[in-house]
Amino acid sequence: MVSPHGIKLAVYLISSYFGDLNAKVCDCLLRRGTLSLAQVVSFTELSRENVRNCLLVLIHHSCVQAFAVQQQGGFGEGPKVITQYMALFDNIIHKLRFPKFIEIVSEELGKECEEIFEGLLQHGRLSLSQIIDRYKQASKQGDSSADSARDSFNSLVNARFVERCPAPEPFLEPPSAEETTAKKRGAKSTKIQAQTMEQRALAAAAPMESLRFLVEDIWNDSVEKTDKKTTDVTCGMKRKQDNLESNTELQDTDENKVLWRANFEEFIRRLRHKACVANVKVRVNNDAAIVLAAILELSRHSETKLRIDNSVPQSINAIYDEVIKREGGLGMDLERIRASLVELGCEAPLMEIDETYSVDLKNIIEQARIEEMESIVLKRYGREAYRMFRLLSKADRLVETDKISDTTFVEKKDAVKILFKLWKDDYLEMKQQFSHCLLNSPSTMKQKSNADNNEASEFR
């Protein structure tokens, strides 16, 4: 679930980029979940045409994904196909990270690749011909710029910074007889199926891995043949897609045209890896950071999707070969590498024949988040609040108010006020029936309370 604060931030970003009407449609989808076009029109009280146009813009910029499902018709009617729309919260929040994405491309691939990539971020998704036209207009070098654009685009695809766009409206097959039987067995099965409908839609929309980063040999056709139905894209102007709308729902009428977009997943992977290495370097030591960086570099080439729990298992020999290539790793031998792997929390294999290691990335990231939260609490609420918050983060369980006061050497009266303030600002979780406090997970939010300041007495 997306927190109320997250929804406010996402709606603010959409409003800043695309205006208030698009923000209203996005807010409706984020708060109410997956909806049909008619439902969005009903809830937003906007005209059908306005909602269509807003959904076109949001889909084009990967902020909304459409998918078709089959529903039973009314009395005397057969089943009919309905298009549903869901907001992609993570993709909306990625707009805050665009400057970091551009910086990564500039540092790794150079200025020319940065210009093409920036155009994709600005326009959402473009075809090859549109990418070349935009690059020609920006560089003003004529035909010679086409070759430069082709090389830069290939570099972006090879680095997996750019990918093919997902299908605009995949169709989800109706549940099979076995799934229907499982649904009737209990509410638990129903809940699981309801949670996975959006995941199924995203999986159905995603291009096959073999096609996701495949650049077909159609550059000449893309340069010479311009689609008359598509408006030319000029640098600094937004792209219009009047041809995307059908009589009933939103869909791309040019099925043969391949569109490309920025691959957010690859950038998040790199930023995540960079953060993990930096945290280990400070919290453990430099050797452990070098070994972790080597493992993550090896994993990057073998990952098919973003891994948030453990890295891809790597052999000790592969780790060693990668470590000695890195700055500061040339003098490390196998024993030092094994010692660093133990410091990273890796368990030694039972058989040395198959000596592979996998790092618990989830634990590293969780530790980094807690440290960041502790720093925020220290700046906002002072050292006494920081000591209490750190106590709860280390305990990772319910702790009595009296024990918090005694352990952190804070007067109970002051401790109650501080704990109440932290709880009110969503940093802590409180169980009133036990008069205990617990560190609130960074990914969860408590329900807002209408109580006044007198509720502080509940901590006693």
Side-chain angles (χ1 to χ4, degrees):
M1 290 182 62
V2 181
S3 70
H5 301 290
I7 293 176
K8 287 183 179 180
L9 176 59
V11 172
Y12 170 77
L13 290 173
I14 294 298
S15 178
S16 300
Y17 276 85
F18 309 117
D20 293 337
L21 290 181
N22 289 282
K24 190 171 185 179
V25 172
C26 181
D27 181 75
C28 177
L29 291 174
L30 285 172
R31 295 185 184 278
R32 297 181 179 273
T34 302
L35 300 173
S36 65
L37 177 63
Q39 289 173 322
V40 177
V41 171
S42 174
F43 288 130
T44 59
E45 298 181 351
L46 298 175
S47 68
R48 191 178 184 87
E49 188 66 24
N50 281 339
V51 172
R52 282 179 181 273
N53 293 334
C54 290
L55 289 172
L56 278 172
V57 171
L58 295 173
I59 291 173
H60 189 68
H61 287 269
S62 301
C63 298
V64 166
Q65 175 64 54
F67 62 95
V69 294
Q70 181 175 302
Q71 294 183 353
Q72 296 296 328
F75 180 74
E77 298 179 355
K80 55 183 179 180
V81 176
I82 302 296
T83 302
Q84 302 282 338
Y85 302 92
M86 61 176 174
L88 304 177
F89 174 78
D90 290 341
N91 285 0
I92 298 173
I93 299 300
H94 286 332
K95 292 186 177 296
L96 289 172
R97 306 182 177 104
F98 280 3
K100 291 185 177 180
F101 297 167
I102 294 174
E103 182 181 355
I104 292 174
V105 172
S106 179
E107 290 178 353
E108 185 167 328
L109 301 178
K111 189 68 177 178
E112 293 181 350
C113 291
E114 177 189 343
E115 292 178 0
I116 292 179
F117 181 74
E118 192 172 358
L120 285 170
L121 292 182
Q122 180 183 5
H123 296 288
R125 52 186 71 183
L126 297 172
S127 65
L128 296 179
S129 61
Q130 291 166 341
I131 291 172
I132 291 181
D133 291 342
R134 186 183 184 280
Y135 189 86
K136 281 183 178 180
Q137 293 173 5
S139 61
K140 298 181 181 180
Q141 295 178 1
D143 294 336
S144 62
S145 63
D147 294 333
S148 178
R150 178 171 60 250
D151 294 339
S152 298
F153 181 80
N154 286 336
S155 298
L156 286 167
V157 176
N158 291 334
R160 298 200 168 192
F161 291 149
V162 171
E163 66 177 352
R164 292 192 181 207
C165 292
E169 189 179 315
F171 176 73
L172 297 187
E173 295 290 341
S176 61
E178 295 180 357
E179 292 175 342
T180 305
T181 304
K183 185 176 180 181
K184 294 179 179 179
R185 290 176 181 173
K188 185 176 181 180
S189 300
T190 305
K191 184 177 181 181
I192 293 175
Q193 289 186 359
Q195 289 174 341
T196 59
M197 183 180 69
E198 286 78 9
Q199 296 174 356
R200 288 175 54 208
L202 292 176
M208 295 175 57
E209 195 65 26
S210 59
L211 297 176
R212 186 179 176 189
F213 303 103
L214 177 63
V215 182
E216 297 178 345
D217 190 17
I218 56 175
W219 279 97
N220 293 332
D221 294 337
S222 300
V223 177
E224 296 173 2
K225 298 179 181 180
T226 304
D227 190 351
K228 296 181 180 180
K229 295 182 180 180
T230 305
T231 305
D232 290 337
V233 177
T234 57
C235 184
M237 295 179 62
K238 294 294 182 183
R239 177 172 174 259
K240 296 181 180 180
Q241 283 194 321
D242 295 334
N243 63 321
L244 288 182
E245 186 176 353
S246 66
N247 293 329
T248 56
E249 300 292 346
L250 309 176
Q251 51 184 305
D252 195 345
T253 57
D254 189 358
E255 296 180 354
N256 296 322
K257 182 170 61 177
V258 178
L259 297 178
W260 300 85
R261 69 173 186 178
N263 180 16
F264 298 145
E265 185 179 276
E266 179 64 24
F267 289 100
I268 295 302
R269 178 188 289 109
R270 298 204 178 197
L271 291 173
R272 181 188 295 270
H273 291 177
K274 185 178 179 181
C276 287
V277 172
N279 180 264
V280 167
K281 186 175 183 179
V282 174
R283 190 165 51 87
V284 186
N285 55 48
N286 190 54
D287 285 358
I290 294 174
V291 172
L292 177 61
I295 292 175
L296 294 178
E297 180 65 23
L298 293 170
S299 301
R300 187 167 64 86
H301 298 291
S302 55
E303 286 184 9
T304 57
K305 62 180 181 178
L306 184 63
R307 298 175 70 98
I308 60 176
D309 293 331
N310 299 304
S311 64
V312 178
Q314 303 292 339
S315 68
I316 188 65
N317 293 329
I319 296 172
Y320 174 78
D321 292 339
E322 183 64 31
V323 165
I324 61 177
K325 296 177 184 178
R326 313 189 74 81
E327 183 180 355
L330 186 59
M332 297 182 66
D333 55 17
L334 288 175
E335 291 305 317
R336 285 179 61 184
I337 292 176
R338 288 190 179 97
S340 297
L341 289 169
V342 172
E343 291 176 321
L344 289 171
C346 300
E347 296 182 359
L350 298 177
M351 299 179 61
E352 295 185 0
I353 299 176
D354 185 22
E355 190 176 359
T356 59
Y357 295 90
S358 178
V359 180
D360 187 354
L361 298 178
K362 184 177 181 180
N363 180 61
I364 295 175
I365 294 170
E366 189 66 22
Q367 289 296 325
R369 286 176 173 173
I370 291 176
E371 290 176 3
E372 184 177 3
M373 291 174 65
E374 290 175 354
S375 176
I376 294 173
V377 170
L378 177 61
K379 292 178 180 179
R380 290 186 179 181
Y381 303 99
R383 189 160 296 278
E384 292 181 343
Y386 164 76
R387 292 204 303 267
M388 288 187 284
F389 186 87
R390 185 172 177 80
L391 171 66
L392 293 172
S393 67
K394 295 296 182 183
D396 194 24
R397 60 180 177 82
L398 293 170
V399 180
E400 294 179 358
T401 307
D402 291 341
K403 187 174 182 179
I404 296 174
S405 175
D406 296 338
T407 306
T408 57
F409 303 104
V410 180
E411 292 290 336
K412 184 177 178 180
K413 183 178 179 181
D414 296 332
V416 168
K417 293 180 180 179
I418 294 173
L419 289 170
F420 176 76
K421 187 179 295 185
L422 291 172
W423 171 76
K424 190 175 181 181
D425 291 342
D426 301 329
Y427 289 94
L428 302 179
E429 179 183 349
M430 178 182 63
K431 299 293 184 181
Q432 297 182 22
Q433 62 270 32
F434 299 111
S435 297
H436 290 175
C437 297
L438 175 67
L439 174 67
N440 201 3
S441 171
S443 61
T444 59
M445 301 288 291
K446 70 172 182 62
Q447 296 294 328
K448 284 295 184 181
S449 174
N450 296 324
D452 57 19
N453 293 337
N454 292 331
E455 285 185 334
S457 60
E458 294 177 351
F459 281 97
R460 296 188 178 96

